[in-house]
Amino acid sequence: MNPRRTPPLRAAAAAVALAGLLAGCAGTGAAENGPDGGENRFIAGDGNVTEYKPADRKSVRDVGGQRLDGKPFALSEFKGKVVVVNFWASWCAPCRGEAPSLQHVYDENKAKGVEFLGVAFKDSKPNAQAFERKFKVTYPSLFDADGQVTLAFREVPPSAIPSTLVLDRQGRVAARIIGATTYSKLNPLVAKALAER
């Protein structure tokens, strides 16, 4: 294989992953209204969990952007901490369903040094901000209107909205949940990552 062709292949794979995200919202077979008011058919995400052994984990680098409150943010600010990254959108029904569980896991683990970061994917800023107010989300979210933040996770793509990644203290993906998550599914994954030294 020609090593010079690897980046275009990765870029193509990332584009396919992004197209999959745009094609549908995980956890429903029904249509949801997208940010443009039109119908978006979303691929089914069944809440499947994939855990990665330390030797097989992919590092997430150079992730950053603007938070919903307008402040700049870089994932490197959470260096050395376990981080949960949740990809969501206000127009996605499973995202609304999982929001209280995510906040519950965050509330239980923030004192232990766990950080949460949302990624508001293909959404309007006012709708995303209203979502956070409605569900009393207290952790920050990046505003990802054009999908560029999500592409930065191409090594372990989220594949559907919602999706959740658990990053270990080295910034590597320790676990991935495709589809809506629950407290009983996410909290043990966070505990495992915290227990690693």
Side-chain angles (χ1 to χ4, degrees):
M1 176 186 277
N2 183 348
R4 291 181 182 167
R5 292 189 55 84
T6 303
L9 289 174
R10 282 189 183 156
V16 168
L18 183 58
L21 283 167
L22 290 172
C25 181
T28 77
E32 291 290 327
N33 287 329
D36 60 358
E39 270 191 4
N40 284 330
R41 293 253 174 231
F42 277 69
I43 59 174
D46 58 6
N48 185 42
V49 176
T50 305
E51 294 185 65
Y52 300 93
K53 295 177 183 177
D56 298 330
R57 293 177 185 171
K58 304 288 185 184
S59 184
V60 180
R61 296 189 181 99
D62 303 324
V63 175
Q66 187 183 83
R67 295 181 353 179
L68 281 174
D69 62 10
K71 296 177 182 175
F73 175 84
L75 191 58
S76 58
E77 292 178 33
F78 291 159
K79 186 176 179 181
K81 296 186 175 185
V82 171
V83 181
V84 175
V85 182
N86 176 255
F87 298 84
W88 62 275
S90 65
W91 40 264
C92 172
C95 299
R96 295 190 290 271
E98 73 173 1
S101 294
L102 287 159
Q103 184 64 44
H104 187 184
V105 177
Y106 174 65
D107 289 342
E108 280 200 7
N109 290 282
K110 62 184 175 182
K112 301 172 188 173
V114 176
E115 298 288 354
F116 272 51
L117 177 67
V119 178
F121 178 78
K122 292 289 182 177
D123 213 336
S124 75
K125 191 173 277 189
N127 287 349
Q129 290 169 330
F131 177 100
E132 287 197 327
R133 286 192 301 272
K134 179 177 181 177
F135 293 103
K136 300 177 174 58
V137 177
T138 61
Y139 51 85
S141 281
L142 290 177
F143 181 54
D144 192 23
D146 59 4
Q148 290 303 303
V149 174
T150 302
L151 284 177
F153 290 86
R154 61 186 166 269
E155 293 294 340
V156 187
S159 301
I161 298 292
S163 287
T164 303
L165 303 176
V166 178
L167 310 182
D168 65 17
R169 288 187 174 89
Q170 287 75 48
R172 303 171 303 177
V173 179
R176 176 178 65 176
I177 303 168
I178 301 298
T181 191
T182 61
Y183 174 87
S184 61
K185 190 177 291 183
L186 180 58
N187 204 49
L189 296 173
V190 171
K192 278 187 188 179
L194 273 172
E196 294 177 356
R197 292 294 171 189

